[in-house]
Amino acid sequence: MPPMKDDAAVEAFLQEETIAVLSTHNRDGTIHAAPILFLYEDGVFHLGTQIGAQRVANLQRNQTATLLIERRQDPFKLVIAYGRAEIVDDDFERRVQILERLYPEEGSRAFAAQMRDQFGLVSIEFRPDRMVTVDYSRGGAE
C-alpha cells in the first residue's frame, strides 16, 4: 500500500480529519476500540473524554494504545499511530478547540460545559512512537 508522500501530507490529513478510533487494552486482554474526537498539534494527539469512560480505566492500567484516523471515501487514506497515552487534567479551552473542529464555536463551548458538569472530563495526550500511513491517491495496493 502506498504511504503518504511526506510529513506535510500527513500533517494536512490530520488537520482535515476530526474523528479517530482509539484502541486500548481491556483487563481481560481484549481490545476496546471507540471513536473519539482529536486535535493534532506539534506531534501530539489531544483527545477529550469523560472520567468514567472505559478507555480511561484501560489507560490507567496500560498506557500503550493505537489510534486510527481514516478517510473512508475515495481517495482512501489512513494513519495508524502506535504509542503511549497519558491521562492529564482536562484543559477546558483545548476541549473547546477539539469540539470546534466538528461544531460551531458557541455550540462547542456549551457542549463542553454540559459534558464537564454532567460527567467530569479528562484529557488524553497521545504521543506516537511511530505512524503508518496509507494514501491510495498515490496508486493501488502493492
Side-chain angles (χ1 to χ4, degrees):
M1 295 176 280
M4 290 187 188
K5 180 179 177 183
D6 53 27
D7 290 346
V10 174
E11 179 77 27
F13 174 73
L14 294 174
Q15 297 307 317
E16 294 168 8
E17 299 303 314
T18 57
I19 299 174
V21 175
L22 177 65
S23 297
T24 58
H25 301 270
N26 288 321
R27 186 180 299 279
D28 66 2
T30 59
I31 300 298
H32 177 264
I36 191 166
L37 297 172
F38 74 93
L39 176 66
Y40 183 73
E41 288 182 328
D42 301 322
V44 177
F45 291 91
H46 300 278
L47 316 165
T49 194
Q50 296 76 36
I51 289 171
Q54 182 65 46
R55 58 183 147 229
V56 172
N58 290 348
L59 290 171
Q60 287 170 334
R61 277 192 316 278
N62 181 346
Q63 291 184 318
T64 304
T66 301
L67 198 63
L68 167 68
I69 303 94
E70 65 180 328
R71 178 177 301 146
R72 293 182 178 188
Q73 68 272 8
D74 194 29
F76 181 77
K77 297 180 181 183
L78 67 81
V79 170
I80 304 172
Y82 302 94
R84 299 184 65 76
E86 180 182 0
I87 305 294
V88 296
D89 289 337
D90 191 59
D91 176 337
F92 186 78
E93 292 306 316
R94 176 149 300 157
R95 176 64 60 103
V96 172
Q97 285 181 302
I98 294 169
L99 291 170
E100 281 175 346
R101 300 188 71 216
L102 201 56
Y103 305 110
E105 180 180 357
E106 58 279 354
S108 298
R109 190 166 294 284
F111 184 53
Q114 177 187 0
M115 296 294 284
R116 177 192 61 209
D117 296 344
Q118 188 172 0
F119 299 108
L121 302 176
V122 294
S123 292
I124 299 169
E125 290 183 357
F126 180 86
R127 289 180 168 74
D129 297 323
R130 68 183 178 101
M131 292 197 280
V132 174
T133 69
V134 174
D135 181 354
Y136 277 106
S137 70
R138 300 192 66 224
E142 295 178 344

